[in-house]
Amino acid sequence: MSLLPLDGPPGALPASAPDPAPAPDPTAGPARSPALARLLPKALSLLPLLLIGAWAVFDWHTVYDGAARLAAADPWWLLAAVFFTCLGWVATACVRQGALPDRLPPGLLLASQFAAGAANHVLPASMGAHAVTLRFLLGRGIPLPRAAASLALYVLVRPIAKTLVLLVFLAASPDLLRLDRLAPDERTLLLGAGAVTLGLAAPALVAAAVPPLRRPALTFVRTALTDARLLHTRPARVLALWGGAAATPLLQASVIASVGAALGLPLSWAQVTLAFLAAGAVAGAVPAPGGIGPVDAALVFTMAALGAPLSLATATVIGYRVVTIWLPLIPGALVLSALVHRKVL
């Protein structure tokens, strides 16, 4: 006889209680939906087009004036200007390769520099081009310290090479350009020297004052010095680095001279080249997008000082900007978007 009371007939055992839901992990980020993950790359690929479109609407006067002037210009000289513009991208790609010990794929490197040209005219101080190049180098498996060191070497070599080319032109033709009409006064020189000193000293002071930045800064400096010493032991890299950096301003000046010849500018190639080098040395430090604005004004003033009519010098600079910026702007933005979409950048 059982001692347990039976209040009713035996039935099925009661179902077990469901397991409690796991507690959310406070360290986990917000869940990303698959649709958002698919739309994000497309949105990033369209972002350069939107930025360039906004900038084009803001600066539409340049497009209109330049197109009106170029409509009556000599098409063969304009074609020569386009040719020199394309060679400028090749020279820039050579400098990028010369600043890095690792070998990069030539086709993708050239495409990245063509795309970087579109980004360069949106952000000041070449930040857009450097950002595109940095993304490209990281995508090729280059470590961040080495990629950053190559950008620093690129930024350092280009103005040095441009200054050397200017000095060669001045030594070869001392009477071609009267520097006393273009040289800044003492106050401007002091301000420029102070700005350069502050720009060089500020990163070192920040790295010394902020302890978490000391180790990355030392790693960057060590990598930059090691890579620079290694690159200068390779003749091919030296030729690409310094030869491309010296050829870049000459090609840019050739674009201006070709546009000037198409419009009837009464200046020789040597005069236009020297005017461009002098204008870049005077106003190139101003952080404007692609150098637009300060360099243009200095270039117009320098060509006028050499004897060109002011209106014709202005039209030449406008045509130069149309050929080097507005014509490749949309194709460059499309290449930039394609590289982002294909995850090259």
Side-chain angles (χ1 to χ4, degrees):
M1 180 176 179
S2 175
L3 299 177
L4 296 177
L6 295 176
D7 295 335
L13 294 175
S16 59
D19 295 335
D25 186 3
T27 61
R32 180 180 296 180
S33 63
L36 181 61
R38 289 193 301 268
L39 290 177
L40 185 58
K42 296 181 179 180
L44 291 176
S45 63
L46 293 177
L47 183 60
L49 292 175
L50 296 178
L51 291 175
I52 290 173
W55 189 64
V57 172
F58 177 76
D59 200 19
W60 67 273
H61 288 287
T62 303
V63 181
Y64 179 80
D65 294 340
R69 293 283 185 176
L70 294 177
D74 188 344
W76 293 108
W77 277 113
L78 294 181
L79 185 61
V82 174
F83 173 73
F84 287 123
T85 301
C86 296
L87 289 183
W89 296 319
V90 176
T92 302
C94 289
V95 181
R96 296 288 189 186
Q97 177 61 87
L100 192 69
D102 307 81
R103 182 170 178 80
L104 300 172
L108 288 179
L109 176 60
L110 183 59
S112 69
Q113 296 311 296
F114 179 61
N120 189 42
H121 300 303
V122 178
L123 299 176
S126 300
M127 291 174 57
H130 295 328
V132 171
T133 303
L134 182 61
R135 293 285 299 177
F136 172 73
L137 295 180
L138 295 178
R140 299 300 95 195
I142 307 299
L144 180 58
R146 171 162 287 182
S150 70
L151 294 182
L153 184 60
Y154 174 88
V155 172
L156 180 64
V157 165
R158 286 195 62 177
I160 294 177
K162 190 174 183 179
T163 303
L164 293 176
V165 173
L166 174 60
L167 293 177
V168 170
F169 265 80
L170 292 177
S173 304
D175 298 329
L176 191 60
L177 183 63
R178 294 183 57 186
L179 293 180
D180 56 342
R181 302 178 62 180
L182 299 175
D185 54 15
E186 295 181 358
R187 181 179 178 182
T188 305
L189 289 177
L190 290 177
L191 290 176
V196 172
T197 303
L198 182 61
L200 293 176
L205 293 176
V206 171
V210 182
L213 296 180
R214 293 176 188 173
R215 186 171 182 178
L218 290 176
T219 303
F220 166 76
V221 172
R222 190 181 301 112
T223 303
L225 294 177
T226 303
D227 287 353
R229 183 170 58 251
L230 176 63
L231 289 169
H232 285 83
T233 61
R234 301 180 181 180
R237 291 291 191 271
V238 173
L239 180 61
L241 180 64
W242 291 99
T248 298
L250 296 178
L251 292 172
Q252 292 173 334
S254 298
V255 176
I256 301 173
S258 299
V259 174
L263 296 174
L265 185 72
L267 295 179
S268 65
W269 177 85
Q271 289 176 313
V272 173
T273 302
L274 191 54
F276 172 75
L277 294 173
V282 172
V286 180
I292 301 173
V295 176
D296 292 346
L299 182 56
V300 170
F301 173 75
T302 308
M303 288 193 295
L306 290 173
L310 185 61
S311 59
L312 195 54
T314 304
T316 300
V317 174
I318 291 175
Y320 163 69
R321 289 302 182 185
V322 169
V323 171
T324 57
I325 294 178
W326 292 109
L327 286 183
L329 197 58
I330 299 301
L334 293 175
V335 172
L336 179 60
S337 299
L339 293 178
V340 172
H341 185 70
R342 294 179 58 183
K343 298 181 180 180
V344 177
L345 301 178

